[in-house]
Amino acid sequence: MQDIADAAHVSKSAVSFAYNTPDRLSSETVEHIFSVAKELGYVRNPVAYMLRTQKTV
């Protein structure tokens, strides 16, 4: 996440919000973060997400 934050010129928290609670950010910011993440080849790992949050996707 830090790589995405650095490339998007946002905080690591903003990247986390974009993926977990996007309503806390403007839609433009979320779109920008997702765009940068896609350029960097980031793919969210659903298994890691489920383990961390103890929720199913």
Side-chain angles (χ1 to χ4, degrees):
M1 275 212 262
Q2 187 65 53
D3 293 340
I4 297 169
D6 292 342
H9 304 290
V10 297
S11 68
K12 188 175 171 184
S13 296
V15 176
S16 179
F17 289 148
Y19 281 96
N20 298 310
T21 52
D23 56 312
R24 294 185 68 176
L25 302 171
S26 71
S27 59
E28 294 83 13
T29 302
V30 173
E31 288 174 20
H32 176 64
I33 291 169
F34 288 165
S35 173
V36 169
K38 185 176 180 179
E39 287 175 17
L40 294 176
Y42 176 76
V43 178
R44 186 176 198 176
N45 183 328
V47 175
Y49 175 77
M50 288 187 303
L51 288 171
R52 177 138 168 82
T53 63
Q54 297 182 349
K55 296 179 185 178
T56 58
V57 176

